Amino acid sequence: RMRKSPPYRKIVAGGCGNKILYVGRRSQAQRRERCEATGVNLSSSPSEKSPSQQSIVGAISVAPAGSSSWDTASPTAVLLALDPLARVTDLIGRPLIYDGVRLTNEAGVVVSSGDVAVRVHEDLTGRLSKDESFLSMIGLDLNLVRIEKAPPTAANTLPQPLP
């Protein structure tokens, strides 16, 4: 039995920050289109899950290792302000760290906004976090990943102020 896949487009965008902002813009555009089609007010919060927001496909972006926290901190804050249910993690589902010490996102970046995209994000990062050959390829130890991994939420993915 064939499952239908949501439509997808490969978008070549600038740096990692631009990709994060694109994900937010794309998801907001889909919400706006849905609200206009159903006559629902766009100003309701995404966390309230009105009928117009329940099946937003959204967008997802995957970036390789090497971006810095300077590239991702502000765009992450903007994305999470647009959609508190969005996800911004590394390739294995850990929140990005903004501590002023680790300045490079060594395990890549995955960004998603929209119901379907967030589910794909969680499935992808969940599978990658258990794949020993993938972890070895990016220089991570499976046992350390299990210890470090925390559920990604808006609270732990927002950039934190320096001490």
Side-chain angles (χ1 to χ4, degrees), residues 95-127:
L96 302 183
I97 298 171
Y98 300 102
D99 61 2
V101 176
R102 290 168 275 195
L103 299 178
T104 304
N105 299 314
E106 294 296 332
V109 178
V110 181
V111 182
S112 62
S113 178
D115 298 324
V116 175
V118 167
R119 287 194 306 267
V120 169
H121 179 146
E122 291 171 350
D123 182 57
L124 171 68
T125 58
R127 289 174 189 241

Side-chain angles (χ1 to χ4, degrees), residues 85-102:
L85 303 176
R87 296 285 186 266
V88 181
T89 67
D90 66 13
L91 288 168
I92 57 173
R94 300 176 304 183
L96 302 183
I97 298 171
Y98 300 102
D99 61 2
V101 176
R102 290 168 275 195

